[in-house]
Amino acid sequence: MVAEMDVPEVILATLEQRGLVLPEGKGWRTRCPNPGHEDRHPSFFLYPSGAGRCFSQCDRYWPPQELAQLLGISLPSDPQGLTLSEMAQAKGLPEEFLRSWGVKDGFTGSAPNRKPCVDIPYVDAQGEQVAVHKRLSLHHAPRFVWRRGDRTTLYGLSQLTEIRRAGRVILVEGESDTWTLWLHKLPALILPGSSTWREEYSSLLQGLDVFVWHEPDPSGDALIRTVADDLPDVKVLEPPHGVKDLSEAYLLDPAGFKDLVHSLLDKARPVSQIRAEALGVEARECMKVARP
């Protein structure tokens, strides 16, 4: 058994025993460890957190626990908590940068079961703290919990003045994505899930060119539909193949991250246009069936 903070090192060492592992971006590139994949051209990327993804035949993502099982490593099922230093390393972000946004080490639970966690403060447009999102683990469920009594809101509202000056904003689902964009001087707000969108948010974003990152899963689909109901001209940022979120894109290629985002911004299309095209295709297919 190993402690959670040692999981990435143990997985990396195991992969190194199996063959050549080369540093790439914020992680490492090697051959896919899936026994059913004869990976002659290294297509597997190991993230600093200990998670991994095959970008070739498997085309899938393994959280650390599942990757450990694939490699035959025994890891603890009971997480030991999370520190700011561990999270910063896993996300490839400077610890002091995160502290500058008020992110800090905290605790969850009560003695004798108290465990370390990362406290992420949510503030309003005036900079007053209104909620605290606690990150409990990088991958173990539950990963997050809200401080008791807090109500969800947009993350990054203190940046509204800067966002309006930029004239545009990128809406994402995770704090890590927001921090990564902020690190690269890109305007962003986080909406923690489609169910947390409120109609009043649309008034805060009036006059802005609004983009939504489309995570390739049902949650990402729901977020776009929900936001588009109030902001029909919102534009969709489609991720590159195999990439789930902006934090992952950054870890894959830190040097090219900003250029990638600008390229996606240039190619983004309004939801209204995407819907119209989809309806047009559906109508033509219906006509083919109906005509006979």
Side-chain angles (χ1 to χ4, degrees), residues 76 162 191 200 252 287:
E162 292 298 320
L191 180 67
E200 64 198 66
L252 283 168
M287 285 297 296

Side-chain angles (χ1 to χ4, degrees), residues 159-214:
Q159 297 302 297
L160 273 178
T161 300
E162 292 298 320
I163 288 172
R164 291 194 177 105
R165 186 175 293 121
R168 65 185 181 186
V169 65
I170 302 172
L171 296 180
V172 295
E173 290 189 65
E175 287 103 349
S176 299
D177 301 324
T178 311
W179 296 327
T180 303
L181 289 168
W182 288 350
L183 182 67
H184 293 84
K185 310 298 183 184
L186 294 165
L189 292 170
I190 175 181
L191 180 67
S194 59
S195 62
T196 62
W197 173 263
R198 298 201 291 272
E199 186 179 354
E200 64 198 66
Y201 293 157
S202 59
S203 62
L204 294 175
L205 305 178
Q206 288 298 322
L208 295 174
D209 208 3
V210 182
F211 299 82
V212 177
W213 177 266
H214 183 199

Side-chain angles (χ1 to χ4, degrees), residues 95-252:
E95 185 175 337
E96 287 307 309
F97 173 77
L98 296 178
R99 290 188 185 277
S100 72
W101 293 103
V103 185
K104 62 182 180 180
D105 286 301
F107 291 95
T108 184
S110 55
N113 299 314
R114 174 177 282 190
K115 295 178 181 178
C117 69
V118 177
D119 283 355
I120 305 168
Y122 276 54
V123 302
D124 59 21
Q126 289 70 47
E128 295 294 324
Q129 181 173 297
V130 295
V132 176
H133 206 197
K134 290 177 173 286
R135 180 144 197 176
L136 312 180
S137 170
L138 287 172
H139 295 285
H140 291 285
R143 293 186 302 141
F144 293 95
V145 66
W146 288 97
R147 187 178 61 179
R148 184 175 299 176
D150 284 347
R151 184 187 182 195
T152 59
T153 186
L154 292 173
Y155 180 64
L157 288 177
S158 62
Q159 297 302 297
L160 273 178
T161 300
E162 292 298 320
I163 288 172
R164 291 194 177 105
R165 186 175 293 121
R168 65 185 181 186
V169 65
I170 302 172
L171 296 180
V172 295
E173 290 189 65
E175 287 103 349
S176 299
D177 301 324
T178 311
W179 296 327
T180 303
L181 289 168
W182 288 350
L183 182 67
H184 293 84
K185 310 298 183 184
L186 294 165
L189 292 170
I190 175 181
L191 180 67
S194 59
S195 62
T196 62
W197 173 263
R198 298 201 291 272
E199 186 179 354
E200 64 198 66
Y201 293 157
S202 59
S203 62
L204 294 175
L205 305 178
Q206 288 298 322
L208 295 174
D209 208 3
V210 182
F211 299 82
V212 177
W213 177 266
H214 183 199
E215 291 198 6
D217 55 28
S219 174
D221 297 339
L223 178 63
I224 290 177
R225 287 195 301 268
T226 302
V227 174
D229 285 342
D230 292 319
L231 297 171
D233 292 325
V234 65
K235 297 178 182 177
V236 180
L237 293 179
E238 293 290 353
H241 175 71
V243 174
K244 179 179 184 290
D245 54 40
L246 285 159
S247 177
E248 185 174 297
Y250 168 64
L251 291 170
L252 283 168

Side-chain angles (χ1 to χ4, degrees), residues 50 142 263 276:
S263 173

Side-chain angles (χ1 to χ4, degrees), residues 52-116:
R53 180 184 287 277
C54 175
F55 286 87
S56 181
Q57 177 179 307
C58 303
D59 191 22
R60 64 159 293 183
Y61 171 90
W62 284 271
Q65 289 286 340
E66 293 183 18
L67 182 55
Q69 290 177 0
L70 185 68
L71 294 169
I73 304 171
S74 178
L75 298 180
S77 58
D78 180 29
Q80 299 302 309
L82 179 68
T83 67
L84 176 58
S85 177
E86 291 166 359
M87 187 184 73
Q89 181 180 4
K91 300 301 180 181
L93 299 170
E95 185 175 337
E96 287 307 309
F97 173 77
L98 296 178
R99 290 188 185 277
S100 72
W101 293 103
V103 185
K104 62 182 180 180
D105 286 301
F107 291 95
T108 184
S110 55
N113 299 314
R114 174 177 282 190
K115 295 178 181 178

